[in-house]
Amino acid sequence: AERLERVNKKNMKLYDRYLKARISRNQDTKNSTYKQYQSSIKIFFSFLLEEYDNAYILDEDLIEDFPDVMDDYVYFLQNTLMNNKKRINFHLSAISSLFIFCIERRMLQYNPMQNVQRMKNAGEEKLLQEHFLTREESDKITSELAKTLDKDYDGAYDIIDLMIWTISYDSACRIGGLLGCTVDNLTLGKDGGYFDSVREKGGKVVPIPFTKQTGEYIEKYLKWRESKGVDTDYIIASFNQMDREWQVMSRTAVGNRVRKIGDILGLEGFRNHS
């Protein structure tokens, strides 16, 4: 957050213009592709701040030296952020998408990314771990996270972890679907319930169902939210210290929480897909 305050304001203004233009044409990708692109671009702008005198991304000198700039950036992604090839290519696509917009608006004559090579054999690089839990292992996680409902609980988890786990487990939804669950689209019944009309990957609108037990957890969670003054409609929320308000939780934060949930079983690299 501190770095972003110092990032070249012209860069941020340009990206805001790009983001509004793209989302206005395709609302389905507002909280998926372009949300992730935005994260990638913030990293790139911060890199320019630290390594290239906070240069404006359309500066002629920067464009002229862009292949060298990107060599430095890829090295940074590999050796500082420890990104794999697939992730690096995603970062490069985010930058290229911004330049394509600039060409469309006649702010640039060509895409400097066309001279930047993508990482080869990215699809063959497999760094993600896979886990297949038994019913006993799944029940152990649920049992441990349910302890967060106890008033005297002082462990490593909280009730939001319980929500992430139980809703994901019951419905097999992706993170994007999980983050689309709101109080407004919640239906609770005596045998469980669902979140209605949640937009999933590819723009598909689906219900996110859950069991009776999870429904009981959600009822307690709603009371907890009220006691904490959580004023966002999103079910999976976090308090943004910078903006001083409750917002939908980021994908990265959810991923970090899921990895921590894996500690209950001593698993490393635990993911939502597990």
Side-chain angles (χ1 to χ4, degrees):
E2 186 274 331
R3 272 197 192 90
L4 289 175
E5 285 294 318
R6 295 188 287 118
V7 159
N8 192 315
K9 296 297 185 289
K10 290 171 68 178
N11 283 335
M12 299 301 287
K13 186 176 181 179
L14 172 65
Y15 193 73
D16 184 58
R17 181 180 171 187
Y18 153 85
L19 199 61
K20 288 177 180 176
R22 289 293 186 252
I23 291 174
S24 68
R25 300 298 189 277
N26 191 354
Q27 280 286 331
D28 292 347
T29 57
K30 178 179 180 180
N31 292 313
S32 54
T33 303
Y34 290 114
K35 189 84 170 179
Q36 295 176 62
Y37 274 2
Q38 188 174 23
S39 176
S40 291
I41 289 294
K42 285 179 179 178
I43 293 171
F44 182 57
F45 286 168
S46 297
F47 172 79
L48 293 180
L49 165 70
E50 299 289 349
E51 302 296 333
Y52 283 86
D53 298 324
N54 210 7
Y56 179 41
I57 195 171
L58 298 183
D59 183 84
E60 288 184 11
D61 291 337
L62 187 75
I63 295 296
E64 186 176 337
D65 296 333
F66 209 72
D68 291 334
V69 173
M70 295 312 294
D71 284 345
D72 288 345
Y73 187 53
V74 169
Y75 185 85
F76 164 76
L77 293 173
Q78 286 177 317
N79 296 281
T80 300
L81 298 191
M82 307 302 290
N83 287 167
N84 60 28
K85 292 179 180 179
K86 186 175 181 180
R87 187 60 188 171
I88 290 172
N89 281 346
F90 183 86
H91 286 307
L92 300 183
S93 295
I95 297 169
S96 183
S97 179
L98 176 57
F99 281 132
I100 290 171
F101 167 78
C102 292
I103 293 170
E104 292 171 355
R105 295 300 190 272
R106 298 185 179 180
M107 293 181 279
L108 203 61
Q109 291 185 338
Y110 75 101
N111 187 347
M113 287 296 294
Q114 68 189 27
N115 298 321
V116 177
Q117 284 190 331
R118 299 298 198 269
M119 303 297 290
K120 296 180 180 179
N121 304 317
E124 299 174 10
E125 184 181 54
K126 189 172 183 180
L127 300 179
L128 298 174
Q129 294 175 276
E130 295 179 342
H131 306 96
F132 300 91
L133 306 186
T134 64
R135 171 59 67 85
E136 290 74 16
E137 288 173 324
S138 299
D139 289 347
K140 183 177 180 180
I141 291 177
T142 302
S143 177
E144 182 64 30
L145 295 180
K147 294 177 183 178
T148 60
L149 298 172
D150 299 337
K151 291 183 179 180
D152 57 350
Y153 176 78
D154 61 353
Y157 303 95
D158 62 26
I159 193 170
I160 299 177
D161 293 318
L162 176 63
M163 292 295 98
I164 290 173
W165 165 254
T166 53
I167 295 171
S168 298
Y169 181 78
D170 287 358
S171 67
C173 66
R174 296 180 175 87
I175 287 182
L178 178 68
L179 295 180
C181 295
T182 66
V183 176
D184 185 58
N185 65 9
L186 168 64
T187 296
L188 279 168
K190 63 178 182 179
D191 296 318
Y194 58 92
F195 295 93
D196 193 24
S197 301
V198 176
R199 196 172 295 278
E200 266 276 21
K201 186 174 182 180
K204 295 178 181 178
V205 178
V206 298
I208 303 292
F210 52 81
T211 62
K212 178 181 179 180
Q213 183 184 54
T214 296
E216 293 171 356
Y217 292 152
I218 290 174
E219 287 182 329
K220 294 177 180 179
Y221 173 61
L222 294 177
K223 292 179 181 178
W224 176 87
R225 283 168 55 102
E226 187 176 353
S227 70
K228 296 295 182 180
V230 179
D231 55 1
T232 180
D233 200 35
Y234 291 103
I235 290 292
I236 308 302
S238 61
F239 189 74
N240 187 309
Q241 293 290 347
M242 186 175 177
D243 297 333
R244 306 299 300 171
E245 65 180 10
W246 286 90
Q247 300 175 351
V248 62
M249 190 174 290
S250 70
R251 288 170 176 264
T252 299
V254 172
N256 290 337
R257 282 174 174 264
V258 171
R259 277 193 292 275
K260 189 176 177 182
I261 288 172
D263 292 344
I264 295 172
L265 300 178
L267 298 175
E268 293 184 4
F270 193 59
R271 306 181 295 135
N272 254 55
H273 280 286
S274 299

